[in-house]
Amino acid sequence: MSPLLYLTQQTINALAIGSLYALVSIGLSLIFGILRMANFAHGDMMMVGAFATLLLVHAGVPFGVAVVGGVLIGALAGALVERIAYRPVRGSSDVTLLLTSLAVTYILENLGILIFTSSPQNFPLPALLDDVVSMFDGQLIFTRINVLTLAATGVALLFLGWFVTRTTMGLGMRAAAEDLGAANIVGLDVNRLIIVAFVLASGFAGLAGVLWAAQSGVVEPAMGFTPLLKAFIAAIIGGFGSIPGAVLGGFLLGALETMIVAFLPSSITPYRDAIVFALLIAFLLFRPAGILRVQGEAKL
Amino acid sequence: MSRTQTIWIGIGVVLLALSFFAQNLLPDYAVRVLTITCINALLVASMAPANGMTGVFSLGHVGFVAVGAYAAGILSLPVATKGSMLPDLPGWLAGWYLSFLPSTLVAGCVTAAVAIVVGAPLLRLSGHFVSVATLGFLVIVNEIVINADSLTRGARTFTGVPLETTLPWALGWLVVGLIALGRIASSPTGRAWRATREDVVAARAIGIETQPTRLSAFVLGAFFAGIGGALYAHYLGSFSPKSFLFAYTFTLISMLVIGGMGSLSGAVLGTVVVTALSEVLRNLERGMDFGALSIPPLYGASQIALGLLFIAIMILRPEGLLGPREIRFPNARSPKETTHDSAAP
């Protein structure tokens, strides 16, 4: 196999997984930027989005519409969680915020088990998307869902970029991330901004959940846990609270994981997550503010 | 030693004496629940120094429980069982085994050693980062356990550990753990732990070094987590990597938080409250038949109820039932003792 093709193949793999991490970590960073809250329940919006899509498909809704519906339901779930569980504890200590979101995770995952049982369920994918594209005599392989993942991430990022720079609501959100108290003083409707931030973050997570389910072929209640941890790593590497940082971190993490699998001996590959976490801890020690150097939060 | 401590130790000794009779008189179900409650209470109390008193909220404590359980399991498998269960065990581990008490102690020490290595870098982090990073530690432990086939049987169930943990053993270790943790928590070291939680700058100004102080709490907690893990291994006899993941982490954390972070009596109270609640709910969850009305089994419902209780506590009483206070026996306060509740009537 030619080295160039091999490299291209690995780049495709890295982009496919990295774009998912980016989609999830954006939402984590958005919420952290405004509320200083490590939202552990974020990963469960992936589960909500994927299960909602699954239910809609089973109800006979066309796949494309079902995905949109699933993403919207994921977004709505995020807003509900904010309103019911997070708003009453807003402004509490770091630990209280963190624990509240842990409890929400626990509730949502068990709700998933209660409704759908803990065993994985098949995620039906239209034949068109399931196709494997093979080029250069099978030396370059990717699925259409990989392409769709990249495209969807691109569109979502462009939308977010437009939203936070061109709309009043988006500008307000950045003001709130800068200083929540000051944003309140100058008359911004902080509650509304935060709800919208949760809708956006959870919608992105819901989309990531659908794409994740499409790539792995199954949906299960605990599916959000691993991606959530990866998204935390991505967001922290990039600079927790920064949206460009989260995107950068997501793609970097995708590249790192792909390189571990591609270039290290296969006896080490099973320890991929352990290596990634160890690197994160090392990284945090040397550069706690992330690559983009977010100010104010991380102190050693 | 204050009168409160003396009374607590007295209560512990009396309960311990009673437990020898209880294990023969009470029904098996009650003995089982009590034994598990004792082990869990030890684990929750062992979280109190780091998570509650120094304020470094670790989510990786169950990783230490796993280390303790596997260490004790490997050490105490009889040699013949080792040959069939763990054929690839390195030679220096394969030819001998330890009985219950030594294997438990060694497991605690191994776990403490792991905590020194892990804690030294981790505890330099702050706030949210330390929580995420310690959760990372939990994942790392899980991945290593799953992949280190020759030591742990990988993802398969580790089985054959001699069943040695009885109610008196579990309660005995709980009493020992609480006395040790309680004595240290009320010593200058314990005050230094709380000082690093309340105000890092002020603590440093009076000569308390943040990281070594926090590390001491972390390592001490890990030692008892390892002991608790060993007790678990010897109680259940078989366990798998799945036993030591997020669900168990959340159970232990909810016990700590509901009882009151930073309080040892709170840790025990929280464990008792959550265990009682879960036992009642678990029985409801299996479904019921009232003649005409039958409730189908609702798996997951008891966890959801626990989660809701947790959120209610966070909103209404974020410090937990006891907060940082200990249950004391009043009109016995010696003038030496000045914790934050000493101003209260």
Side-chain angles (χ1 to χ4, degrees), chain B residues 50-67:
Chain B
N51 290 26
M53 294 177 194
T54 70
V56 173
F57 207 93
S58 160
L59 296 175
H61 204 66
V62 166
F64 293 129
V65 181
V67 172

Side-chain angles (χ1 to χ4, degrees), chain B residues 158-287:
Chain B
F158 190 103
T159 183
V161 185
L163 300 176
E164 306 263 16
T165 305
T166 57
L167 178 57
W169 268 114
L171 184 60
W173 269 113
L174 174 61
V175 170
V176 169
L178 286 176
I179 291 173
L181 293 170
R183 292 293 289 158
I184 298 173
S186 61
S187 75
T189 309
R191 284 185 234 283
W193 290 344
R194 296 191 192 87
T196 65
R197 176 191 63 197
E198 297 298 329
D199 192 330
V200 175
V201 176
R204 283 164 103 157
I206 57 168
I208 296 168
E209 282 196 76
T210 315
Q211 282 165 35
T213 304
R214 288 180 170 170
L215 188 63
S216 68
F218 195 69
V219 172
L220 184 71
F223 173 78
F224 282 107
I227 298 280
L231 292 175
Y232 244 115
H234 285 282
Y235 180 68
L236 298 172
S238 53
F239 45 88
S240 71
K242 278 199 304 258
S243 322
F244 306 104
L245 265 179
F246 181 67
Y248 195 35
T249 302
F250 187 80
T251 307
L252 293 181
I253 286 178
S254 66
M255 289 166 173
L256 180 70
V257 170
I258 289 173
M261 274 184 274
S263 155
L264 294 172
S265 32
V268 177
L269 179 70
T271 311
V272 171
V273 168
V274 171
T275 310
L277 187 78
S278 321
E279 285 305 316
V280 171
L281 290 168
R282 217 192 304 276
N283 287 320
L284 293 180
E285 177 180 271
R286 289 200 194 103

Side-chain angles (χ1 to χ4, degrees), chain B residues 99-110:
Chain B
S99 57
F100 180 39
L101 185 60
S103 72
T104 305
L105 286 170
V106 174
C109 294
V110 168

Side-chain angles (χ1 to χ4, degrees), chain A residues 32 36 40 94-95 99-100 102-103 106-107 110-111 114 229 270-274 277 284-285 297 299-300, chain B residues 57 59 121 124-126 128 135-136 139 143 147 246 250 253 257 298-299 303-304 307-308 310-311 314:
Chain A
F32 186 82
R36 299 285 136 190
F40 279 87
D94 289 2
V95 172
L99 290 173
T100 306
L102 267 184
Y106 192 68
I107 293 173
N110 281 293
L111 214 53
L114 186 68
L229 289 179
Y271 296 102
R272 188 185 63 189
D273 291 356
F277 260 112
L284 273 176
L285 292 175
E297 177 56 23
K299 349 181 243 294
L300 273 177
Chain B
F57 207 93
L59 296 175
R124 291 177 56 198
L125 306 172
S126 64
H128 318 275
L135 194 59
V139 172
E143 211 166 69
N147 288 298
F246 181 67
F250 187 80
I253 286 178
V257 170
L298 295 168
Y299 297 109
Q303 283 88 341
I304 294 172
L308 291 174
F310 191 111
I311 290 184
M314 286 287 98

